[in-house]
Amino acid sequence: MQRLRNLPRRPCDADCRTRCGEIILAGVDLIPTGRFPAPVRDCFVAATDHARRVAVLASVEAVLGWDEQTMLPAAGGAHRADQAAELAAVVHRERTSAEQGERLRMLAAGPVGQAGSEDERAAVRLLLDDYEKQARTPARLVAELARVGVEAQQAWVRARSESAWHLLEPWLERMFALKRELAACRAPGLDAYDALLDDFEPGCRWRSLAGVFRELREGVGEFARRCAAASRRPDDRFLIEGAYPVDSQRTFVTAVASRIGFDFRRGRLDATAHPFCTALGPDDCRITTRWNERALPSALFGVLHEAGHGLYEQGLRRQWYGLPPGEAASLGVHESQSRLWENLVGRSLPFWRWCLPLARRAFPETLAAVSAERMGEALAAVRPSFIRVEADEVTYNLHVMLRFDLERAVVHGELAVADLPAAWNERFAADFGIRPPDDARGVLQDIHWSAGLVGYFPTYTLGNVYAAQLMAAVRRDLPDLDADVAQGHFAPLLDWLRQRVHALGRVLTPDRLIEQATGAPVSAAWLVASLRERYGPPHGL
Ligand code: ZN
């Protein structure tokens, strides 16, 4: 499911000795800089204070985004667009001050950038990279992207509810044009799609990504069709046509999220049309879900997914808040954390050995006679769906690869925005053997393009790839994992993720982080093996 969040926070210009800086640093450990000469230390403290202050300012954008998705009345959209544009302009001005650029260039060439700790060197290098990218982007373009983003999302809501492509088409024309312009500003020497991708998955390039996706398609494309056509099919009717009162679901999913480690003193759960997770600050992580009184999976797996994102946010080192060592590595790594909890833990038999009694107490009418084994089998049903967020784990990545190929073609000028609906339907029929009956169940189903999230979709599948690879390494390191999970003991797993993923921030590029954590380069092989192993037997394959 979709996760909307601000891009990695970036530095600003302002005097660090202000009252505001003191508030931000309250309760936060100081970075050890004692071994540097005083002028260098002062410069480092000034630069990082600025970065933290702009992170606080940018977190106000996240508050507005959360409110927009959960609370905003339809008529409030126009004023919210004004707010978003004004705030984006202020944040951009702070991020691109010449004074901060000077500090960062000085630090990068001096003892901190050359001989500091790994965290200090990464902080300086990445703050400077971010600064230079931002400084190349005109303020007008930033404000326009913010404004068009809000207006296009409002148009998308209407277009999807009426299945009326023509209401969204002009907005997407505008958005893709702005994104191409942004790509050219941000990274002039880079391929346009790579420049956009780089914002979500640093260092990732579309040609190598296409190679990983090809390996995945070869491994599961045919397997998905065989599962869908299998004569033996898991019976999951009790899961999707049962009685699941919303109040009981809320209590149940909150208990499950707490048990896996989500800290509700530092976060909360609310309802939304399109689930997401956003961190409004180091101690304020918002997750959302939607409720369906007839079906349990929507809210349960939605919350496990978003809580997985939340565990990552809550596991970042708070003393580095607002700085690269305290930020998520990439959206792909973020998605690996949500997918790991949602699918590799939440759909496993050991998990249901622990969770089923809790679920039976919450939904006695529907689950009284269901065993953990039957639940495990029901959760392995493969059923091709028009809607990505409702897709099973086996067909899910086909949805993502379709969007990756289409958006890349639009950015590269190989496909016109006006031709997206037809291209979508044709590709969907080829991949899934069924054709979307209308655009609401086709090209209009996702909010991403209208929100300006171009280059974002591939991170969903990268998340699945990373998650399977990480879980294979977890199993190697924690031989008692299944027994622990069956007892509801999730701490060993969470500790492993905290040490090898969360605590590293974005010091390493995503591919290096995964390689360091697992001992092998990124490959789709683990995901292919995991899907075949878990989904084959319930379909007699
Ligand atoms: Zn997600």
Side-chain angles (χ1 to χ4, degrees), residues 1-3 305-306 309 334-335 338-339 342 456 460:
M1 278 170 223
Q2 188 201 359
R3 179 169 182 286
H305 180 102
E306 303 307 340
H309 283 304
H334 229 303
E335 191 69 2
S338 58
R339 289 291 174 183
E342 175 194 1
Y456 184 115
Y460 289 130

Side-chain angles (χ1 to χ4, degrees), residues 79-257:
H79 185 67
R80 178 53 47 85
D82 288 342
Q83 291 174 316
E86 291 300 328
L87 187 55
V90 173
V91 172
H92 184 69
R93 193 168 60 236
E94 296 296 314
R95 278 175 176 155
T96 54
S97 98
E99 196 183 350
Q100 176 72 343
E102 278 305 306
R103 286 191 196 106
L104 292 170
R105 275 188 284 271
M106 214 160 76
L107 286 166
V112 182
Q114 301 299 313
S117 69
E118 189 178 21
D119 285 331
E120 290 161 349
R121 279 183 282 125
V124 167
R125 174 173 48 82
L126 294 168
L127 286 173
L128 181 58
D129 283 355
D130 294 343
Y131 172 83
E132 286 176 343
K133 262 186 172 183
Q134 292 286 333
R136 283 195 292 265
T137 312
R140 169 203 55 80
L141 181 57
V142 172
E144 203 170 349
L145 273 163
R147 177 184 301 280
V148 172
V150 173
E151 289 172 349
Q153 286 179 73
Q154 303 289 325
W156 169 79
V157 171
R158 290 193 304 277
R160 188 178 67 152
S161 72
E162 297 169 30
S163 194
W165 164 254
H166 71 275
L167 294 178
L168 185 63
E169 186 186 323
W171 290 105
L172 286 193
E173 289 278 11
R174 185 89 199 98
M175 181 55 86
F176 272 99
L178 289 171
K179 297 303 285 194
R180 273 193 218 99
E181 192 183 344
L182 181 71
C185 295
R186 282 276 170 87
L190 205 57
D191 172 275
Y193 189 77
D194 283 342
L196 298 175
L197 192 56
D198 203 72
D199 267 348
F200 305 115
E201 202 64 15
C204 188
R205 300 292 175 257
W206 76 266
R207 286 182 197 280
S208 62
L209 187 58
V212 175
F213 285 5
R214 195 161 43 245
E215 183 188 2
L216 182 58
R217 176 181 287 280
E218 283 165 6
V220 299
E222 177 60 23
F223 177 69
R225 279 186 285 277
R226 285 170 60 211
C227 286
S231 53
R232 182 175 165 204
R233 304 197 46 77
D235 177 6
D236 64 345
R237 273 170 302 178
F238 70 92
L239 271 178
I240 56 175
E241 294 170 19
Y244 298 101
V246 169
D247 284 348
S248 305
Q249 284 196 55
R250 194 179 294 109
T251 308
F252 172 65
V253 300
T254 301
V256 171

Side-chain angles (χ1 to χ4, degrees), residues 388-407:
R388 177 185 59 86
V389 298
E390 292 169 6
D392 57 77
E393 223 186 319
V394 176
T395 55
Y396 182 85
N397 298 303
L398 299 173
H399 288 266
V400 173
M401 290 188 267
L402 176 154
R403 288 151 176 77
F404 164 64
D405 287 337
L406 294 186
E407 68 178 14

